[in-house]
Amino acid sequence: MSSGTPRPTFAVSSRSTPLLACDDLIQVARGAAVSGVDLDLTGSALRRRLTHAKSLSNLSDVLSTWIPPTNGSLDDLLARAWSPRGSLVVVDEERGSMPNGKRQLGAAIQLRGVVPASTRVALAIRPRNPEAGRAHLTRLALLRNLAAEWDLDLALDLSGPVDWLWEAEAAVYRLGPRLRLLRITFPLPTLDAHTRSRLTQRTLAASVDTAFDGLIAVVCPMPIWQWRAPSALERSTRTAVERLAGRFGIAPLHAPWNVPQRSPAP
């Protein structure tokens, strides 16, 4: 792959472990040679506090932040300085099996007037096909047009429940260039590994075909005894990203940031 070919960047997701603070995740990203952190703030208030995101003096390494479809409790975080290098705020879907998107869209439009111009705002999408037909593709096309009308982006989350009837390739093509973030799980969980593996592989293949050059946030689920082990997450992230980078023809990875070089032997 030539240097001028569009290519994605990678981030380690905070969904990999609930007990590491944001500054720990930044060190994991640096050690694993990825571009930054995907920070999920959609969980409980306790989990949000554990990230210690509000205590960070610099958010430039946080490339994407997921928030619930209401920003009342997060105004102080969103009002801070964001990275000028393509950071993204993702407004999550509403709760429930069939979210209508009204509250999500309203929050996203409101955020467009709050965040700096250098920060993009995206709508979260999850793979579901409740009618078992092609109606979901029509909805995705309408969502893409709506996003374009309001100057919003789209973020596809494959790290949660997946619907095996969801048409991955057609969906990626429907979303088009508005798709700026993919969040995937690696390694795949054993419970639904077959379905998730097929869906993930098909989504990645379609992303390669469409020259996706956005952000891939990698969720590396850690066993409970390693929830507070940054070194273990760093190893898992490096392995995951190396394999995914190979899928996109991106190799070798950039060298880790700020890693002191070993002194030459006397």
Side-chain angles (χ1 to χ4, degrees):
M1 178 178 288
S2 66
S3 59
T5 304
R7 59 183 64 192
T9 54
F10 294 90
V12 56
S13 175
S14 66
R15 289 182 63 89
S16 302
T17 168
L19 295 185
L20 287 184
C22 193
D23 53 354
D24 293 321
L25 293 168
I26 290 172
Q27 294 305 314
V28 167
R30 292 177 175 177
V34 298
S35 298
V37 172
D38 171 72
L39 182 62
D40 194 312
L41 299 177
T42 63
S44 66
L46 174 60
R47 187 165 182 175
R48 289 199 295 268
R49 286 197 298 270
L50 288 173
T51 66
H52 299 294
K54 295 180 182 180
S55 65
L56 288 178
S57 59
N58 183 5
L59 290 175
S60 63
D61 294 324
V62 179
L63 303 186
S64 53
T65 305
W66 296 63
I67 65 170
T70 175
N71 65 339
S73 62
L74 301 174
D75 283 342
D76 55 342
L77 175 63
L78 294 173
R80 301 177 60 158
W82 288 81
S83 166
R85 57 184 180 122
S87 60
L88 188 69
V89 180
V90 182
V91 181
D92 204 359
E93 293 181 335
E94 300 97 329
R95 300 286 183 180
S97 59
M98 284 292 292
N100 60 29
K102 292 182 180 179
R103 192 158 49 124
Q104 180 192 33
L105 178 61
I109 293 173
Q110 184 178 0
L111 279 176
R112 290 295 304 136
V114 174
V115 297
S118 60
T119 298
R120 298 294 300 169
V121 178
L123 302 172
I125 303 171
R126 289 184 172 79
R128 54 170 62 92
N129 183 7
E131 300 94 348
R134 299 183 65 83
H136 68 297
L137 298 178
T138 301
R139 284 197 298 272
L140 290 178
L142 291 173
L143 184 61
R144 178 200 63 210
N145 294 337
L146 193 62
E149 178 182 353
W150 291 101
D151 191 26
L152 302 171
D153 293 330
L154 301 171
L156 178 57
D157 185 13
L158 301 179
S159 66
V162 298
D163 187 339
W164 70 276
L165 293 173
W166 195 70
E167 300 181 46
E169 296 89 350
V172 170
Y173 285 108
R174 292 295 195 285
L175 298 177
R178 288 285 160 181
L179 179 61
R180 301 307 301 154
L181 187 151
L182 289 173
R183 188 162 69 177
I184 63 175
T185 299
F186 191 96
L188 299 171
T190 56
L191 183 61
D192 61 350
H194 179 67
T195 299
R196 189 181 297 274
S197 177
R198 290 180 61 250
L199 190 64
T200 301
Q201 292 295 336
R202 289 164 54 195
T203 301
L204 289 174
S207 300
V208 172
D209 291 342
T210 57
F212 175 77
D213 61 352
L215 180 66
I216 299 179
V218 184
V219 179
C220 297
M222 304 303 294
I224 188 171
W225 58 89
Q226 291 183 334
W227 278 2
R228 294 188 62 86
S231 59
L233 179 57
E234 179 184 319
R235 290 192 298 270
S236 295
T237 301
R238 179 180 289 276
T239 299
V241 171
E242 285 177 349
R243 295 185 182 180
L244 291 169
R247 186 72 179 85
F248 281 86
I250 307 171
L253 296 175
H254 295 297
W257 307 335
N258 303 327
V259 175
Q261 300 298 313
R262 180 177 300 175
S263 301

